[in-house]
């Protein structure tokens, strides 16, 4: 199993490069990456805006030798044309029959949740908390094929509309928490410390 982490956006609402903000002993990005330890053989990080910062961060994370998976850095030169291009770029790299996809700013998901999603069968498995869908989602190679064949102007929602979705209720508010603004970041710190 592999994972695609989307890290190509502008961080425009956070007024800071949010993926490298510290959360506990790690950065936001490493917290997100760390959840796939023992579950994935490879994590593919798709960067775009300020990709050299992401590349440095990945080098630092890789130096720790704390993870059993390989971390691959992929640059999406069309990052300014929307997230779907980054998803396609990531899918191009995936070799595993199933894979996760998550934004890089979802650092608060519990590792147990990722494990539960991994064990669930289906083309599209989505964790949900209080009946709201969250991240990471797990997709099959069938969905990957469809993503790669779809017009880059499209979006993931449209592609997933053609598949049966399996929602999995989890007791983990982390699946809904992303760090879009500095206020979100403050909430994330409070949640993490609690």
């Amino acid at each position: 199993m592999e994972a695609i982490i989307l890290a190509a956006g502008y961080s425009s609402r956070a007024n800071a490069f949010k993926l490298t903000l510290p959360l506990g002993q790690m950065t936001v990005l490493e917290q997100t990456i760390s959840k796939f330890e023992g579950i994935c053989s490879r994590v593919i990080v798709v960067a775009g805006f300020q990709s050299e910062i992401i590349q440095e961060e990945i080098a630092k994370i890789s130096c720790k030798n704390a993870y059993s998976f390989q971390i691959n850095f992929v640059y999406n030169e069309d990052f300014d044309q929307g997230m779907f291009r980054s998803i396609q770029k990531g899918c191009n790299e995936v070799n595993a029959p199933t894979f996760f996809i998550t934004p890089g700013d979802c650092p608060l998901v519990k590792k147990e949740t990722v494990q539960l999603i991994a064990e669930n069968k289906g083309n599209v498995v989505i964790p949900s908390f209080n009946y709201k869908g969250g991240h990471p989602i797990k997709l099959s190679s069938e969905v990957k094929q469809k993503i790669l064949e779809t017009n880059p102007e499209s979006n993931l929602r449209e592609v997933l509309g053609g598949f049966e979705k399996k929602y999995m209720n989890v007791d983990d508010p982390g699946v809904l928490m992303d760090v879009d603004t500095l206020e979100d970041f403050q909430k994330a710190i409070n949640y993490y410390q609690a």
Side-chain angles (χ1 to χ4, degrees):
M1 196 174 281
E2 296 175 330
I4 298 172
I5 294 183
L6 304 168
Y10 285 109
S11 289
S12 50
R13 286 187 283 178
N15 299 332
F17 202 69
K18 62 186 175 185
L19 295 179
T20 53
L21 291 171
L23 185 59
Q25 300 298 303
M26 304 178 197
T27 57
V28 169
L29 182 62
E30 187 177 354
Q31 287 284 2
T32 304
I33 288 176
S34 69
K35 304 304 191 279
F36 299 102
E37 172 57 36
I39 299 165
C40 291
S41 58
R42 196 161 68 115
V43 171
I44 299 153
V45 181
V46 184
F49 181 64
Q50 296 193 333
S51 60
E52 55 293 336
I53 296 180
I54 298 292
Q55 209 165 1
E56 268 169 45
E57 182 59 28
I58 291 172
K60 278 184 210 153
I61 295 168
S62 300
C63 280
K64 289 184 175 179
N65 287 329
Y67 304 107
S68 59
F69 50 67
Q70 215 185 328
I71 304 176
N72 287 91
F73 169 86
V74 178
Y75 178 65
N76 171 20
E77 57 287 327
D78 298 320
F79 69 89
D80 55 344
Q81 290 170 41
M83 195 187 279
F84 193 61
R85 303 253 178 166
S86 292
I87 292 171
Q88 288 181 316
K89 200 85 178 167
C91 284
N92 253 327
E93 303 291 320
V94 169
N95 301 321
T98 55
F99 62 101
F100 286 101
I101 197 159
T102 187
D105 64 352
C106 295
L108 298 167
V109 175
K110 294 177 185 159
K111 199 166 162 207
E112 301 84 72
T113 302
V114 179
Q115 188 65 57
L116 283 172
I117 301 166
E119 289 160 9
N120 252 283
K121 301 250 180 292
N123 277 319
V124 181
V125 182
I126 303 173
S128 83
F129 179 72
N130 286 344
Y131 302 100
K132 274 182 75 168
H135 287 87
I137 61 174
K138 187 181 89 166
L139 305 173
S140 67
S141 49
E142 225 176 299
V143 180
K144 178 185 97 169
Q145 224 18 69
K146 188 75 185 135
I147 288 171
L148 292 173
E149 289 161 7
T150 299
N151 180 332
E153 305 300 312
S154 186
N155 59 53
L156 188 60
R157 182 168 289 145
E158 212 162 292
V159 174
L160 298 185
F163 292 90
E164 189 185 334
K165 296 179 195 63
K166 186 168 177 188
Y167 285 93
M168 202 183 84
N169 278 313
V170 291
D171 183 20
D172 181 0
V175 301
L176 301 179
M177 297 174 82
D178 58 0
V179 181
D180 270 337
T181 61
L182 287 175
E183 188 189 5
D184 292 340
F185 179 58
Q186 196 47 60
K187 278 188 203 152
I189 290 173
N190 299 345
Y191 178 81
Y192 181 79
Q193 288 170 343

